[in-house]
Amino acid sequence: MSVTRDEVNEFLAREFPQNGCTVDVLGVDHATVRRRVGEADLRPGGTVAGPVLFAVADCALYIAIFGGMGITPMAVTSSLNMNFLSRPAADRDLLGACKLIKVGRTLVVGEVSIFSEGLDAPVAHAVGTYALPRR
Amino acid sequence: MSVTRDEVNEFLAREFPQNGCTVDVLGVDHATVRRRVGEADLRPGGTVAGPVLFAVADCALYIAIFGGMGITPMAVTSSLNMNFLSRPAADRDLLGACKLIKVGRTLVVGEVSIFSEGLDAPVAHAVGTYALPRR
Amino acid sequence: MSVTRDEVNEFLAREFPQNGCTVDVLGVDHATVRRRVGEADLRPGGTVAGPVLFAVADCALYIAIFGGMGITPMAVTSSLNMNFLSRPAADRDLLGACKLIKVGRTLVVGEVSIFSEGLDAPVAHAVGTYALPRR
Amino acid sequence: MSVTRDEVNEFLAREFPQNGCTVDVLGVDHATVRRRVGEADLRPGGTVAGPVLFAVADCALYIAIFGGMGITPMAVTSSLNMNFLSRPAADRDLLGACKLIKVGRTLVVGEVSIFSEGLDAPVAHAVGTYALPRR
């Protein structure tokens, strides 16, 4: 693997801090990212807002791509399909675990399961596609 | 229609300010929401981050439901599928125009086209499903 | 436009008869296809099986691409997201109306509404992506 | 588990023969279905047509639901999102392996990986939702 977890965390902190995610696990075809949940992330009803879950899924896929091909800032989301499964805890970190399904020449497809840390049932599941920059 | 645009904007400002959207247009089966874009919304490459576009789509659908049935805070996203079509402008408001496709007893389905204000080509398209609270 | 409705119908009859669709309307960024519904298309409960609706959506998008760029047999489905909205009639033709949302260099995105002929409420809605052959 | 593989295969042969799938594996939250591929399943270019892959995904999810709750003919597809990953073999059976992600009171969500038998790379991946009949 051409990049370490620390290098990716430095990249995220420097280039994409508003995203709010850090990397827990990094492999050549998978990654797990973590996101703190705070007051500003909640929606009416006191649960985590959908866009926060989307951010976790989107970032987990972005980082899983880095795991295999190194930091690739200009990889961009092409599509993302999310199913919301159960109410996330308002006071636990979110963990997004991505596994790449296909790494093509121009497109990467991956799936992401999102959990409230310490709870068994996934809160959301996503499948997304990233377009890779031309080399 | 059981609710006005002003009433919905007051609801959003009071209960969901972190969402960042306001309502431009409200009808019984459609709505258009607007979101300012700032530095904090950009991703590597200087374009608008995916979660911001997701937030616009998700909010447009939430508000279109309000247009038909009044403010329904506990309507929650069940699924959302997004296609990213072209690079949004970093210095223009985003507009998300939602049209409801089906209003069922427990589920609502709608589609959303997202534009950078003043530009013709859509930057993203979404189809989403909301679960309605039991009455 | 580089191709007529008759030419596309001849292509379908010759190269893809098992698909079962014919073209009703053809434009540079849209198309409507028609499919007879018979006994073999039904699923338990007597309604039209999901794969038949998928075939209508998939074919409508394929043909809408032809409308703009001529017959392109090697355009292939890259992704397709379907929402099933209401029970189709077992004794009416299905009509699938596709409108292209984006025509890129390598990908085309379109949306499709499917109806039982003569009935107002759509039975399904799809958004799909086709990959174009390299030129 | 309230139903055997043989009972499900008898149900499919009797009530849904046009689907073309049989059950290889059945568990309380998963199932694998098999489908022969023949001439009538091919599309221009000699590869398996998208609707055939959709039929495999849709059936694998239907059957995985049976694994947990017994034969439930009136479970109906509510949404299905497919990504097509690589060209299926024209002369090998398709296998669709479904794992349920969530079993709710009214909705079930599952994911399906589809393979050409004996080949490693998946040819398609799907995530779908079924609505359960009211009890």
Side-chain angles (χ1 to χ4, degrees):
Chain A
M1 186 172 38
S2 47
V3 70
T4 67
R5 199 181 68 158
D6 285 354
E7 287 166 341
V8 174
N9 276 323
E10 281 159 27
F11 166 80
L12 287 174
R14 192 176 64 239
E15 303 289 342
F16 205 10
Q18 62 275 30
N19 180 270
C21 292
T22 54
V23 184
D24 267 28
V25 178
L26 186 64
V28 292
D29 64 354
H30 64 277
T32 300
V33 302
R34 171 185 296 272
R35 193 180 185 292
R36 291 274 135 78
V37 170
E39 274 293 312
D41 299 319
L42 305 185
R43 50 149 285 159
T47 190
V48 180
V52 176
L53 297 172
F54 181 95
V56 171
D58 193 34
C59 188
L61 186 40
Y62 190 49
I63 301 308
I65 293 168
F66 293 5
M69 61 178 55
I71 293 175
T72 310
M74 293 311 298
V76 295
T77 319
S78 172
S79 69
L80 208 144
N81 183 59
M82 285 199 82
N83 281 281
F84 298 87
L85 302 172
S86 60
R87 197 185 152 97
D91 56 357
R92 289 171 184 259
D93 286 6
L94 290 167
L95 297 175
C98 177
K99 176 103 184 54
L100 299 185
I101 298 173
K102 181 194 177 180
V103 179
R105 204 174 39 84
T106 59
L107 285 178
V108 175
V109 183
E111 63 158 323
V112 185
S113 294
I114 304 180
F115 296 86
S116 288
E117 190 172 29
L119 303 181
D120 277 349
V123 298
H125 181 268
V127 177
T129 306
Y130 263 73
L132 299 178
R134 261 173 277 176
R135 276 168 286 189
Chain B
M1 186 171 40
S2 47
V3 69
T4 67
R5 198 181 70 158
D6 285 354
E7 287 165 343
V8 174
N9 276 323
E10 281 158 27
F11 166 81
L12 287 175
R14 192 176 63 241
E15 303 289 343
F16 205 9
Q18 62 275 31
N19 180 269
C21 291
T22 55
V23 184
D24 267 29
V25 178
L26 186 65
V28 292
D29 64 354
H30 64 277
T32 300
V33 302
R34 170 185 298 271
R35 196 181 184 290
R36 289 275 135 78
V37 171
E39 273 293 312
D41 299 320
L42 305 185
R43 51 150 281 159
T47 191
V48 180
V52 176
L53 297 172
F54 181 95
V56 171
D58 193 36
C59 188
L61 186 41
Y62 190 49
I63 301 308
I65 293 168
F66 292 6
M69 60 178 54
I71 293 175
T72 310
M74 292 312 297
V76 295
T77 318
S78 173
S79 69
L80 208 144
N81 183 60
M82 285 200 80
N83 281 281
F84 298 87
L85 303 172
S86 59
R87 197 186 152 96
D91 56 357
R92 289 170 184 259
D93 285 6
L94 289 167
L95 297 175
C98 176
K99 176 104 185 51
L100 299 184
I101 297 173
K102 181 193 177 183
V103 179
R105 203 175 39 85
T106 58
L107 285 177
V108 175
V109 183
E111 63 158 323
V112 185
S113 294
I114 304 180
F115 296 86
S116 288
E117 189 172 30
L119 302 181
D120 277 347
V123 297
H125 181 268
V127 176
T129 306
Y130 262 73
L132 299 178
R134 263 173 275 176
R135 274 167 289 188
Chain C
M1 185 171 40
S2 46
V3 69
T4 67
R5 199 181 68 159
D6 285 353
E7 286 166 342
V8 174
N9 276 324
E10 281 158 28
F11 166 81
L12 287 174
R14 193 176 62 241
E15 303 288 343
F16 205 8
Q18 62 275 32
N19 180 269
C21 292
T22 55
V23 185
D24 267 28
V25 178
L26 185 64
V28 292
D29 63 355
H30 64 277
T32 300
V33 302
R34 170 185 299 271
R35 194 181 185 291
R36 290 276 135 79
V37 170
E39 274 293 312
D41 299 319
L42 304 185
R43 50 149 283 159
T47 189
V48 180
V52 176
L53 297 171
F54 182 95
V56 171
D58 193 35
C59 188
L61 186 40
Y62 190 49
I63 302 307
I65 293 168
F66 292 6
M69 60 178 55
I71 293 174
T72 310
M74 292 311 298
V76 295
T77 318
S78 172
S79 69
L80 207 144
N81 183 60
M82 285 200 81
N83 281 281
F84 297 87
L85 303 172
S86 60
R87 197 185 153 95
D91 57 356
R92 290 170 183 259
D93 285 5
L94 290 167
L95 297 175
C98 176
K99 176 103 186 53
L100 299 184
I101 298 173
K102 180 194 178 181
V103 180
R105 203 174 40 83
T106 57
L107 286 178
V108 175
V109 183
E111 62 159 322
V112 185
S113 294
I114 304 179
F115 296 86
S116 287
E117 189 172 30
L119 303 181
D120 278 348
V123 298
H125 181 268
V127 177
T129 306
Y130 262 73
L132 299 178
R134 263 174 274 174
R135 274 168 289 192
Chain D
M1 185 170 38
S2 46
V3 70
T4 67
R5 199 182 67 158
D6 285 354
E7 287 166 343
V8 174
N9 276 323
E10 281 158 27
F11 167 81
L12 288 175
R14 192 176 63 240
E15 302 289 343
F16 204 8
Q18 63 276 31
N19 181 269
C21 292
T22 55
V23 184
D24 267 28
V25 178
L26 185 65
V28 293
D29 64 354
H30 65 277
T32 299
V33 301
R34 171 186 296 272
R35 194 181 185 290
R36 290 275 136 77
V37 170
E39 274 292 313
D41 299 319
L42 305 185
R43 49 150 284 158
T47 190
V48 180
V52 176
L53 297 172
F54 182 95
V56 172
D58 194 35
C59 188
L61 186 41
Y62 190 50
I63 301 308
I65 293 168
F66 292 6
M69 61 178 55
I71 293 175
T72 310
M74 293 312 297
V76 294
T77 319
S78 172
S79 69
L80 208 145
N81 183 60
M82 285 200 80
N83 281 281
F84 297 87
L85 302 172
S86 60
R87 197 185 154 98
D91 56 358
R92 289 170 184 259
D93 285 6
L94 289 167
L95 297 174
C98 177
K99 176 103 186 53
L100 299 185
I101 298 174
K102 180 194 179 180
V103 179
R105 204 175 38 84
T106 58
L107 285 178
V108 175
V109 183
E111 62 158 324
V112 185
S113 294
I114 304 179
F115 296 85
S116 287
E117 189 171 30
L119 303 182
D120 278 348
V123 298
H125 181 269
V127 177
T129 306
Y130 262 73
L132 300 177
R134 261 173 275 175
R135 277 167 289 190

